[in-house]
């Protein structure tokens, strides 16, 4: 790989080894392996792919995983009952409800129902509040993965200008909170941009670290990036491609070809942030199981 590429796949593999070693120690001590459950409602293709990847990653490190598949027509009440069942199940350390949910289900109501101690996605309002206050909690998987990626690539963030594109509850908002906090890997000056931001290019060009999480294929062009900036691409989009065996290829929110020649460091898609999100979920599941075993 070219030397300015941040290899998320390799860094994730390193962390997976660390997690596998910790799980092996639990098993040696005759403590049950951590157990993650995922609920998926409906047939959204991307969600199916994510859940299968999460299951495989669990298997790789010795974490037990169970997927609960529910049909598209599942009612909000039925899903709330399933969550209550997992909240009560002592064999499940943590669980996630894969998003997006079908439109007839209120995602906020669902997330609020999850026992915060089992909310390994870190999406429950209590856990978001704790993150905001700098108290120990589960960090949302993608922001947690981005922080780990920056740390392990020796990117200094304190005092740097980080520009975040996109203010979703899953990525943009929490990463801007984490990087601006007065804490060990924070202290950055953060600008959070969104669809109504004016003079966007003027702002992105000031970024020492640019994080793209807007959900628009190849939106970030070389003209928007300062020479030497660190560019983190959170997007993942399937583009129809009859020349490819799968019938599609993947791109991010960043025009990789253009931006790689300007950036000091850049994450690819695939193989950048994606694998880090999954290992963060494994780390949170391990943490959840420590609460159970009080180690
Ligand atoms: N959909 C996209 N990203 C995520 C995630 O991190 N967790 C869940 N539950 N759903 C998602």
């Amino acid at each position: 790989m070219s030397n300015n590429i941040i290899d998320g796949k390799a860094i994730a593999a390193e962390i997976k080894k660390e997690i596998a070693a910790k799980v092996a120690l639990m098993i040696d001590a005759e403590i049950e392996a951590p157990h993650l459950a995922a609920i998926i409602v409906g047939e959204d293709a991307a969600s199916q792919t994510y859940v299968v990847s999460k299951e495989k990653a669990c298997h790789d490190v010795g974490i037990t995983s169970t997927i609960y598949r529910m049909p598209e027509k599942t009612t909000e009440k039925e899903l709330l009952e399933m969550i209550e069942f997992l909240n009560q199940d002592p064999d499940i350390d943590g669980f996630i409800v894969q998003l997006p949910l079908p439109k007839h289900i209120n995602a906020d109501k669902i997330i609020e129902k999850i026992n915060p101690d089992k909310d390994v996605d870190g999406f429950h309002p209590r856990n978001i509040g704790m993150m905001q206050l700098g108290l120990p909690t589960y960090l949302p998987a993608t922001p947690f993965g981005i922080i780990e990626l920056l740390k392990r690539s020796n990117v200094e963030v304190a005092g740097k200008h980080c520009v975040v594109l996109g203010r979703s509850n899953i990525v943009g908002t929490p990463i801007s909170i984490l990087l601006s906090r007065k804490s060990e890997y924070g202290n950055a000056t953060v600008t959070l941009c969104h669809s109504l931001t004016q003079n966007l290019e003027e702002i992105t060009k000031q970024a020492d670290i640019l994080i793209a999480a807007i959900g628009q294929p190849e939106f970030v062009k070389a003209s928007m990036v300062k020479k030497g900036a660190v560019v983190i691409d959170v997007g993942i989009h399937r583009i129809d491609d009859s020349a490819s065996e799968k019938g599609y290829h993947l791109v991010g929110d960043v025009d990789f070809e253009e931006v790689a020649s300007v950036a000091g460091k850049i994450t690819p898609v695939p193989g950048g942030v994606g694998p880090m999100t999954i290992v963060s979920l494994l780390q949170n599941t391990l943490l959840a199981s420590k609460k159970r075993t009080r180690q």
Side-chain angles (χ1 to χ4, degrees):
M1 272 198 196
S2 136
N3 63 4
N4 69 339
I5 293 178
I6 297 179
D7 187 347
K9 206 170 158 192
I11 295 172
E14 218 172 85
I15 300 173
K16 273 170 84 174
K17 274 194 204 154
E18 296 165 12
I19 297 171
K22 289 179 186 159
V23 174
L25 282 179
M26 290 173 75
I27 292 166
D28 283 351
E30 296 189 349
I31 296 165
E32 294 255 339
H35 189 169
L36 171 70
I39 304 175
I40 178 162
V41 184
E43 299 298 329
D44 180 71
S47 293
Q48 296 286 343
T49 311
Y50 290 143
V51 169
V52 169
S53 309
K54 287 170 188 171
E55 186 177 42
K56 183 185 172 303
C58 283
H59 182 261
D60 291 347
V61 299
I63 291 180
T64 308
S65 90
T66 306
I67 302 181
Y68 292 88
R69 293 178 193 280
M70 301 180 79
E72 179 80 24
K73 61 177 186 355
T74 300
T75 63
E76 193 173 275
K77 183 163 174 284
E78 286 166 336
L79 183 53
L80 288 168
E81 282 165 6
M82 172 60 100
I83 291 170
E84 186 53 24
F85 171 76
L86 295 180
N87 281 345
Q88 299 297 337
D89 186 343
D91 288 341
I92 303 285
D93 293 307
F95 66 96
I96 65 161
V97 180
Q98 187 64 36
L99 303 177
L101 286 167
K103 294 213 170 8
H104 63 276
I105 297 179
N106 179 339
D108 291 337
K109 209 165 151 188
I110 296 302
I111 290 167
E112 272 183 47
K113 179 76 179 170
I114 299 173
N115 173 352
D117 288 330
K118 292 192 174 188
D119 167 42
V120 285
D121 255 333
F123 290 171
H124 189 280
R126 188 199 79 175
N127 289 330
I128 294 174
M130 296 199 27
M131 173 189 68
Q132 167 92 57
L133 294 169
L135 298 171
T137 185
Y138 302 115
L139 300 181
T142 302
F144 185 12
I146 294 171
I147 299 266
E148 231 14 77
L149 203 55
L150 292 169
K151 256 190 207 171
R152 292 186 188 232
S153 307
N154 301 314
V155 175
E156 185 59 61
V157 297
K160 296 290 162 63
H161 187 189
C162 294
V163 174
V164 178
L165 302 182
R167 55 182 160 179
S168 71
N169 289 340
I170 295 181
V171 187
T173 297
I175 191 68
S176 59
I177 292 171
L178 289 171
L179 290 173
S180 57
R181 282 193 320 191
K182 189 171 180 179
S183 66
E184 183 225 334
Y185 206 75
N187 293 307
T189 304
V190 177
T191 304
L192 180 54
C193 300
H194 47 76
S195 51
L196 298 181
T197 297
Q198 295 181 353
N199 306 320
L200 185 66
E201 195 162 318
E202 257 172 50
I203 300 169
T204 58
K205 279 198 97 142
Q206 293 172 31
D208 301 308
I209 299 164
L210 180 62
I211 299 175
I214 35 173
Q216 291 196 41
E218 301 187 313
F219 179 87
V220 176
K221 302 291 180 189
S223 61
M224 298 168 72
V225 178
K226 178 168 81 176
K227 189 149 185 60
V230 175
V231 179
I232 305 294
D233 189 351
V234 181
I236 184 154
H237 313 275
R238 287 183 184 192
I239 304 291
D240 289 341
D241 180 355
S242 54
S244 145
E245 210 175 279
K246 291 180 174 161
Y248 66 87
H249 68 267
L250 296 173
V251 300
D253 287 352
V254 175
D255 186 329
F256 185 85
E257 287 308 315
E258 268 194 45
V259 176
S261 60
V262 183
K265 291 183 196 234
I266 184 168
T267 61
V269 176
V273 172
M276 295 300 296
T277 297
I278 293 181
V279 292
S280 301
L281 183 65
L282 302 180
Q283 282 182 307
N284 282 345
T285 305
L286 185 62
L287 182 64
S289 75
K290 300 284 172 185
K291 291 189 188 199
R292 176 237 306 163
T293 55
R294 312 221 186 287
Q295 286 175 344

